[in-house]
Amino acid sequence: MNKKFINNDLKKYIEENLFPEYQKNDLGHNIEHIKYVINRSFKFADTIPNINYDIVYTVASYHDIGHYINPKKHEIISGEIMFNDKNLKKFFSDEELILIKEAIEDHRASADHEPRSIYGKIVSTADRNTTVESCLKSTYTYEKKLYPEESDAQLFDRAFYYLNIKFGENGYAKFFFKDEEYEQFLKDIRKLLSDKNNYIETQRNYINKLKKSGEKLD
């Protein structure tokens, strides 16, 4: 992360007041995910001349903060939470806050429109999984939170359907920067999704391995 480009007071405020709130989210949208998105966001931001790193950092930091409230429209809720945070007025103009809000609203892979700014494109691209393992884990924990009464077999079936819609050959997930990690991930996940039985067996084995290791999955 390019810490030298971030306002230290802004970073301190977000780390102390916003990051603890992510414990309310499921494991696929917790603080570790946020740090992952922040780091990838800076990777893409580094390719853009005169980019505002404070804006990149803030969009990435707030983009999933409302996920626990309503996953289906979390991008709107997260944008509103950011925009209503009066402390951010110390760091940004009204125009910049609107830009940040729009970028948060536009980050979701299933959005029916392209992000309205380079900041939305950065965080939208950074928000994608880049390993099959992280995808298998995040889809399981996400579906388990939504459908806690269902069996693992039912959750694996839901995950297979969801991942095909998102990452299949005609999937809705888009990216706006050259990203070799993501391109390799797409090849790997599409190969796995080409055989449903193999996919379900792979996810079952991986989830069982995590359970045996004592890793928290809810």
Side-chain angles (χ1 to χ4, degrees), residues 21-204:
E21 292 296 300
Y22 274 100
Q23 65 184 335
K24 298 176 182 178
N25 281 357
D26 65 85
L27 295 181
H29 302 86
N30 65 4
I31 190 57
E32 295 308 313
H33 169 71
I34 298 308
K35 291 178 179 178
Y36 163 83
V37 173
I38 289 171
N39 285 326
R40 277 175 52 79
S41 293
F42 275 89
K43 168 187 170 182
F44 300 127
D46 284 344
T47 68
I48 307 297
N50 303 315
I51 199 74
N52 185 319
Y53 285 92
D54 285 348
I55 291 179
V56 173
Y57 180 69
T58 303
V59 175
S61 295
Y62 278 84
H63 83 277
D64 274 346
I65 194 62
H67 199 279
Y68 74 96
I69 298 172
N70 186 337
K72 296 184 184 299
K73 58 176 184 177
H74 75 276
E75 71 281 11
I76 303 300
I77 297 171
S78 297
E80 290 175 349
I81 291 172
M82 183 287 304
F83 198 69
N84 291 326
D85 188 340
K86 304 304 182 186
N87 290 288
L88 293 180
K89 288 185 174 291
K90 302 174 187 175
F91 308 105
F92 301 106
S93 67
D94 290 344
E95 292 76 14
E96 288 172 329
L97 289 171
I98 291 173
L99 185 65
I100 294 169
K101 181 174 183 285
E102 290 177 346
I104 293 171
E105 292 171 345
D106 293 345
H107 85 269
R108 192 166 184 173
S110 59
D112 60 3
H113 62 278
E114 193 170 295
R116 287 165 281 184
S117 72
I118 192 63
Y119 298 100
K121 290 179 179 179
I122 287 172
V123 176
S124 179
T125 304
D127 195 33
R128 306 290 166 258
N129 287 297
T130 54
T131 68
V132 170
E133 289 78 12
S134 64
C135 204
L136 295 176
K137 179 181 175 181
S138 64
T139 53
Y140 176 80
T141 58
Y142 177 67
E143 297 291 349
K144 188 171 180 63
K145 183 167 185 177
L146 288 180
Y147 307 100
E149 75 287 350
E150 292 194 351
S151 66
D152 278 1
Q154 290 172 304
L155 297 177
F156 298 151
D157 194 71
R158 284 185 179 277
F160 175 77
Y161 174 75
Y162 168 76
L163 290 176
N164 265 293
I165 292 176
K166 185 172 185 178
F167 295 119
E169 292 296 336
N170 298 307
Y172 61 72
K174 308 174 187 67
F175 57 108
F176 304 97
F177 291 84
K178 178 70 177 176
D179 185 357
E180 293 179 358
E181 274 187 294
Y182 184 68
E183 290 171 4
Q184 183 59 54
F185 161 73
L186 277 182
K187 292 178 183 177
D188 294 341
I189 195 67
R190 286 172 178 172
K191 181 179 180 181
L192 183 60
L193 291 169
S194 66
D195 183 331
K196 182 176 182 179
N197 289 333
N198 183 43
Y199 167 82
I200 290 178
E201 185 64 19
T202 300
Q203 188 171 34
R204 178 185 294 113

